[in-house]
Amino acid sequence: MRMPEVNGRWVADMKAPRTADNEEPAEERAHDFRPVDKGFTEEMAIAEAARCMRCKKPLCVEGCPVNIDIPSFIEKIYERKFGEGLDVIHEQSMLPAICGRVCPQENQCEGVCIRGRRGEPVAIGQLERFLGDQPELASTPEMAPRNGKRVAVIGSGPSGITCAGELARNGFDVTVYESFFTGGGVLVYGIPEFRLPKAVVKHEIDGLRELGVTFEYNSVMGNLADAEELLGEKGFDALYVATGAGLPKFLNIPGENLPNVYFANEYLTRVNLMRANEFPKFDTPTKHGRQVIVFGGGNVAMDAVRTAKRLGADRAIIAYRRTEAEMPARKAELHHAKAEGVEVMPLVSPLEFLKGEDGNVCGVRVQRMELGEPDDSGRRRPVPIEGAIEEISCDVAISAIGTNANPFARKIGGMELNKWGYIVANEETGRTSNPRIWAGGDIVTGAATVILAMGAGKKAAADMTKVLLGQ
Ligand code: FAD
Ligand code: SF4
């Protein structure tokens, strides 16, 4: 490895190839839930840091949705000042161990990294994760004195927990209400252990408890109390609503209600949260299919099909109505899935789930498609090929074609919703139509990403602090 610094000037190691990911062998990891990627060692991180050019105009920072000062934390890694590097990230993001693992870096910071123009971009996500996995090195955050104001946060996904942490540091008394029996939102019920270990999320939640945040689990707001009660008799000064967009979209085709046809979020929740993979030790069962077909092309579909593979599927298919090139899933996840033996079936759309003699799903009738003219999204529209209909046998079918707004936003009430049930909120401040309610994350934007949900929580906490303290 060459020294990046020559005569006090940073000189990147332009010859070094991108440091390869530290992955478990695909044929072994495909049978259990161990993390696929072990992360960089110190040597790997320093070698990768040396590849960064410390650009005068770092496009990576512009590409990051929360504008983390990427070259600065990379330089700190090179200097082995890991705690200081973590402090740089913490100025913009409190969840580097999570975002380093799940952010779609290829469309963000790494997608615009200058090194990517003539080769491979710097492995920014891996470097972020490397620091995020050493939280004990960070400086202790400054805590403002208690200000006597109380805020209720509804939902403990990345948006809710970020907002709660920022508010607690700013001196507020914060209670997080969560409908599940544990915190983390999609980070624990959706994203599987092999991509994001539960222990990483638990560490963040434990950290918030240490800051004085109270968590009230099994508390479905809208049922237990609505906005009026929370801001009235319960005595909160303000609310942050971050209930997510977890309501599944229906395919609306015959047979969708057959046994062993699942929505991806339900299937993943059964395994990730209710530990259906360990049935009967845990109470929740799920069908361990031998031939599993998943409809969709995003991260959710990818998580579902890789989970099915780990539950013992001999044939695990990801069926998508466009081609692999248009799949919205992270490229790394598609690559991992294929390495683990997942079969990609492009250009098919489901028409009907078929019922077997035992009453369960036994197959699916699909329509073969071809790509036509581009649609509003700029992607070529899939159009049916006349007469090209076939049957594929399966004993589990999973639909992962997207989600809608969580309907509880309506029951919580007190703020304007749009016609699809999403909360109308200012994207810069999180302010809603009610001056005492802020909102952010997927329940405002629609299904998006962890980093955007986190960023919304951070911005809202800053605005709430200003407004509630009259600054
Ligand atoms: P959520 O994470 O959905 O959290 C909302 C929380 O609110 C939940 O815990 C819910 O139980 C709770 N809640 C809802 N209603 C109530 C109520 N009435 N009372 C109390 N609590 C309530 N993004 C990425 O960036 N990278 C990825 O790799 C990625 N993979 C994904 C994989 C899956 C399977 C899924 C489903 C999503 C994935 N996403 C990914 C998207 C990302 O996880 C979401 O954009 C993000 O979690 C949204 O955060 P949030 O805080 O707005 O909502
Ligand atoms: Fe380093 Fe790439 Fe950012 Fe330039 S764009 S500073 S090379 S990470």
Side-chain angles (χ1 to χ4, degrees), residues 51-55 58-60 70-71 74 112-115 122 124:
R51 295 182 66 238
C52 170
M53 294 159 66
R54 297 279 288 133
C55 305
L59 296 183
C60 53
I70 292 166
I74 291 182
V112 290
C113 169
I114 310 282
R115 288 242 24 197
V122 175
I124 301 169

Side-chain angles (χ1 to χ4, degrees), residues 196 282-283 456:
L196 178 60
F282 289 84
D283 283 346

